[in-house]
Amino acid sequence: MESIFHEKQEGSLCAQHCLNNLLQGEYFSPVELSSIAHQLDEEERMRMAEGGVTSEDYRTFLQQPSGNMDDSGFFSIQVISNALKVWGLELILFNSPEYQRLRIDPINERSFICNYKEHWFTVRKLGKQWFNLNSLLTGPELISDTYLALFLAQLQQEGYSIFVVKGDLPDCEADQLLQMIRVQQMHRPKLIGEELAQLKEQRVQKTDLEHVLEVNDGTGMLDEDEEELQRALALSRQEIDMEDEEADLRRAIQLSMQGTSRNRCQDIPQTSGSHPTSEELRKRREAYFEKQQQQQQQQPPGQLTHLCEKSSTSCEAPDRDLGDSMSEEDMLQAAVTMSLETVRSKTEGKK
C-alpha cells in the first residue's frame, strides 16, 4: 500500500488529485491546469468571434466567467480530457450507448474517472487489484473484482458520471510491485472529514482526561484503591442497614415476650418472704401444740366444744388450694386442731 501514490484533498483541487492519482505521480500542478483552461477559453472566444465581435452573443460571452475553471481550483472535464491527451489517453463515457454496445466487463479495463458535481476521483487497477484513489479518503481503498461492477453501479445511482480511460498508462512502481504480490486490507480507510472529527474527539477526550488528572492531584493515573474503598463502603452501608432491621426485629420480639411475662406474673399471687423448711415447720408445730395443750388444760370443759367447732371449720381448708391462700399461721393452726381432735377421740373412747 505504501508504494501506491495517493494525493489527499487540498482545497478544491480534486481535478489535479484525480489526474496525479491516475498517472501515479505529480504530473500536473494548478498552474499547468490553469494554463490548459485559459487555452480552452481562448479557443471558445475565437469561435464566438467568428459571428462578429459586435454581436450580442459575443458581448454576453465576454461578460460570463470561465466555464473551464474558477478561483476555488475547480477544472472542467474539458481541461482533464486535454490534460490526458498529452499522454495519449482518451475519455469515453461509461454509460454511453456506444460503449455499452461493446459489452466490456469493467474488470477488463484499466481505470475510470468519476465525477459528481464538482468532485473528481480515480478508480484504477494496479497489478491485479482495483483501488479507489479518491482524494477525500485517508488512503487507497481496495476493491475486489466481484465488487467493482456493483461499486460503479452504485456511483451511477448516486448521480456520478463515469468515464473510461482508454490508452496505455505510464509505468509506475506500484503497478510493477503489485503484479508480483497481492495486498490485503484489514480496515477500510476513512473519509478525511471523519478522521478530522475523530482526531477532534480524541483531543477533547485527552483534555477531559488531563482535567481529571489535575483534579486527582496530578497523579497521572486514577486511584484504584479509592474506587475499591468506595465499593467497600457501599457494601458496608448495606450490611449496616440489614443489621439495623434485624436489631429492630429482635427488640420487638423481646418487648412482646416481656409483655407476656408481665401478664403471667399478674395472674400468679405474690407471697412475701421465703418458705420455711420442713424441719422448721415441724418445730414450730410442736411448740404451738404444746402451747395450745397447756391452754386447754387451764380452760373449763365448755369452751372445748367451741374450740373444736372452730377447728372443724378450719379443717375444711385443706380441701381448697392451700398452696395459694393459706398462710403459715393457718397451716400451723390446722395441724394443731387435727392433733387435738385425735386426743379427744382417744379420751372419749377410754371413758
Side-chain angles (χ1 to χ4, degrees):
M1 284 289 195
E2 290 78 8
S3 62
I4 299 176
F5 180 86
H6 180 251
E7 269 188 2
K8 296 182 178 63
Q9 187 73 22
E10 293 182 6
S12 298
L13 298 175
C14 53
Q16 171 194 321
H17 306 319
C18 174
L19 289 170
N20 289 338
N21 290 339
L22 173 68
L23 301 174
Q24 286 292 287
E26 296 180 357
Y27 289 95
F28 291 99
S29 66
V31 175
E32 293 170 336
L33 294 178
S34 297
S35 175
I36 295 174
H38 286 304
Q39 183 180 354
L40 290 173
D41 289 342
E42 183 62 21
E43 292 177 357
E44 291 177 3
R45 188 191 65 78
M46 291 177 63
R47 285 194 297 270
M48 293 297 297
E50 292 176 357
V53 294
T54 59
S55 65
E56 186 69 23
D57 291 338
Y58 182 76
R59 288 197 298 268
T60 303
F61 173 79
L62 293 179
Q63 295 175 356
Q64 292 178 347
S66 171
N68 295 301
M69 62 171 293
D70 60 23
D71 295 338
S72 66
F74 167 77
F75 296 97
S76 66
I77 181 63
Q78 288 80 11
V79 175
I80 295 176
S81 178
N82 278 26
L84 291 177
K85 286 180 181 179
V86 177
W87 296 91
L89 300 173
E90 181 184 2
L91 295 180
I92 300 177
L93 190 61
F94 177 72
N95 59 351
S96 64
E98 294 80 8
Y99 182 79
Q100 292 298 320
R101 282 197 295 266
L102 299 176
R103 297 182 180 276
I104 300 175
D105 192 333
I107 62 174
N108 295 325
E109 298 290 356
R110 293 292 300 169
S111 59
F112 300 92
I113 288 180
C114 307
N115 168 253
Y116 180 68
K117 295 184 178 180
E118 296 182 356
H119 182 64
W120 301 90
F121 71 91
T122 294
V123 177
R124 174 174 171 168
K125 190 174 188 178
L126 293 168
K128 299 177 181 181
Q129 294 173 288
W130 285 90
F131 295 90
N132 177 9
L133 303 179
N134 193 335
S135 58
L136 294 177
L137 295 175
T138 57
E141 179 185 17
L142 179 64
I143 302 176
S144 65
D145 291 349
T146 56
Y147 181 63
L148 177 63
L150 181 61
F151 177 72
L152 295 176
Q154 182 180 357
L155 290 178
Q156 285 184 306
Q157 187 176 5
E158 293 175 358
Y160 276 83
S161 298
I162 302 176
F163 300 89
V164 183
V165 180
K166 290 292 187 177
D168 295 330
L169 295 167
D171 293 334
C172 62
E173 179 185 357
D175 186 55
Q176 296 173 359
L177 182 62
L178 292 176
Q179 290 286 351
M180 297 179 291
I181 61 173
R182 296 180 66 89
V183 298
Q184 293 182 348
Q185 191 170 46
M186 302 302 296
H187 302 287
R188 176 189 176 278
K190 296 183 176 64
L191 291 171
I192 293 178
E194 293 178 354
E195 185 181 37
L196 292 176
Q198 186 176 5
L199 291 174
K200 182 178 179 180
E201 183 179 358
Q202 290 177 353
R203 286 195 295 268
V204 172
Q205 292 176 352
K206 182 179 179 181
T207 303
D208 294 340
L209 179 60
E210 291 175 351
H211 178 68
V212 170
L213 294 178
E214 291 177 359
V215 172
N216 285 274
D217 297 329
T219 55
M221 60 183 298
L222 296 177
D223 192 353
E224 296 181 358
D225 294 337
E226 183 177 353
E227 294 180 359
E228 294 180 359
L229 178 60
Q230 294 295 334
R231 287 194 293 268
L233 289 175
L235 292 175
S236 177
R237 284 194 292 268
Q238 293 178 359
E239 293 176 357
I240 290 174
D241 293 339
M242 293 177 64
E243 291 177 358
D244 290 343
E245 292 178 358
E246 293 177 357
D248 293 340
L249 180 59
R250 286 197 297 270
R251 283 195 293 270
I253 293 174
Q254 185 176 2
L255 291 173
S256 177
M257 293 176 65
Q258 290 178 357
T260 304
S261 177
R262 284 196 297 268
N263 293 336
R264 290 179 180 176
C265 293
Q266 291 174 358
D267 296 338
I268 299 175
Q270 302 292 326
T271 58
S272 60
S274 61
H275 297 286
T277 62
S278 59
E279 182 65 25
E280 292 176 349
L281 184 59
R282 186 181 62 80
K283 289 181 181 181
R284 293 179 184 179
R285 186 175 60 185
E286 290 177 354
Y288 188 84
F289 174 76
E290 291 176 356
K291 181 178 179 181
Q292 291 293 329
Q293 191 174 16
Q294 292 175 3
Q295 291 178 357
Q296 285 181 354
Q297 291 176 358
Q298 294 176 2
Q299 291 179 356
Q303 295 182 355
L304 185 60
T305 302
H306 175 72
L307 179 61
C308 289
E309 292 175 355
K310 181 179 180 181
S311 299
S312 178
T313 303
S314 300
C315 288
E316 295 176 357
D319 294 337
R320 304 187 186 97
D321 189 2
L322 296 176
D324 294 337
S325 60
M326 186 178 291
S327 64
E328 181 182 337
E329 186 175 355
D330 292 337
M331 292 173 66
L332 291 174
Q333 181 67 36
V336 171
T337 304
M338 292 174 65
S339 299
L340 291 176
E341 190 70 20
T342 303
V343 172
R344 180 184 175 189
S345 298
K346 290 180 180 181
T347 303
E348 290 180 352
K350 288 181 181 181
K351 289 183 180 178

